[in-house]
Amino acid sequence: MPRRERRVQLLESALEVFVAQGYHAAAMDDIAERAGVSKPVLYQHFPGKLDLYLALLDASCDTIIENCREALTSTSDNKDRVAATMKVFYSYVASEEGAFRLVFESDLTSEPDVRERVDRVTIECASLIADVIRSDTGLPDEASELLAVSLVGMAQVSARFWLAGGGEITQDDAAALIAGLAWRGIRGYPMTDDH
């Protein structure tokens, strides 16, 4: 198998094992077995378990940040931006692969490299949102960033709570409900243009 394809296979297998068992309980033996390769093959691609975990975490963080960016640039209507961004977080946590657990529920957040990557999701998504808030409201940087971090926190926490609840509210309805709450709060800030 070509190196790139093998790496993808190993990452997919590792994701399944880490999501099911958590970092500490997962073993490289389990990952190699899940991938159908020997441990030496696994170690050819990743020198250790932390390296493998960080590669997965990087990919997962990149996905949610890029999806947030796409949601914000998908329209110039701010109400639709809020809705699209909430959908990003709800879709991410509802994904069957469970990659969100690496970012939002990691059992390794005391590890500085992991903490840095987990924080990157909040910081970069909030930065993207803050740019829109600042541009549209004329609020200072610090105020725009604080509002943006609050919106990201609302999205992350509510999406995880919704998923854990297993209730009767559909994913789309839950995202729309929280988007409505966020929009009712953020729309009150003054616009600098005629938006």
Side-chain angles (χ1 to χ4, degrees):
M1 180 179 288
R3 185 166 178 80
R4 178 174 282 167
E5 289 177 29
R6 176 69 73 198
R7 183 177 170 86
V8 169
Q9 174 198 22
L10 295 172
L11 287 169
E12 288 171 354
S13 297
L15 178 60
E16 292 173 14
V17 173
F18 284 131
V19 166
Q21 299 178 17
Y23 178 83
H24 294 294
M28 292 297 267
D29 288 329
D30 298 332
I31 296 165
E33 182 179 322
R34 178 75 54 101
V37 300
S38 65
K39 262 178 57 173
V41 168
L42 181 57
Y43 281 111
Q44 286 174 356
H45 292 268
F46 301 97
K49 185 166 75 165
L50 182 59
D51 298 295
L52 180 54
Y53 190 83
L54 292 174
L56 282 169
L57 197 53
D58 283 336
S60 190
C61 291
D62 290 346
T63 296
I64 192 161
I65 292 165
E66 184 54 36
N67 290 346
C68 187
R69 178 179 287 107
E70 289 174 10
L72 291 167
T73 59
S74 67
T75 180
S76 60
D77 181 280
N78 286 333
K79 183 177 182 181
D80 291 341
R81 281 179 173 154
V82 170
T85 305
M86 285 299 167
K87 281 186 178 183
V88 164
F89 284 94
Y90 277 78
S91 295
Y92 182 68
V93 301
S95 170
E96 288 189 25
E97 66 185 20
F100 83 95
R101 294 189 193 289
L102 300 179
V103 178
F104 299 138
E105 297 176 0
S106 176
D107 60 348
L108 196 60
T109 55
S110 62
E111 169 65 39
D113 288 335
V114 172
R115 180 84 257 153
E116 176 186 321
R117 285 160 172 86
V118 169
D119 289 346
R120 184 170 70 93
V121 171
T122 300
I123 291 165
E124 289 191 29
C125 288
S127 177
L128 293 166
I129 294 167
D131 288 345
V132 173
I133 292 171
R134 186 181 313 102
S135 172
D136 288 350
T137 66
L139 287 171
D141 290 351
E142 189 174 359
S144 297
E145 290 164 5
L146 184 58
L147 288 170
V149 165
S150 299
L151 291 170
V152 170
M154 179 188 301
Q156 289 177 7
V157 172
S158 67
R160 289 175 31 228
F161 182 83
W162 164 79
L163 184 67
E168 296 184 19
I169 299 176
T170 67
Q171 177 183 332
D172 287 342
D173 289 345
L177 183 67
I178 301 306
L181 173 64
W183 175 244
R184 283 177 184 84
I186 200 69
R187 75 176 177 196
Y189 287 89
M191 303 291 276
T192 56
D193 296 326
D194 296 326
H195 295 74

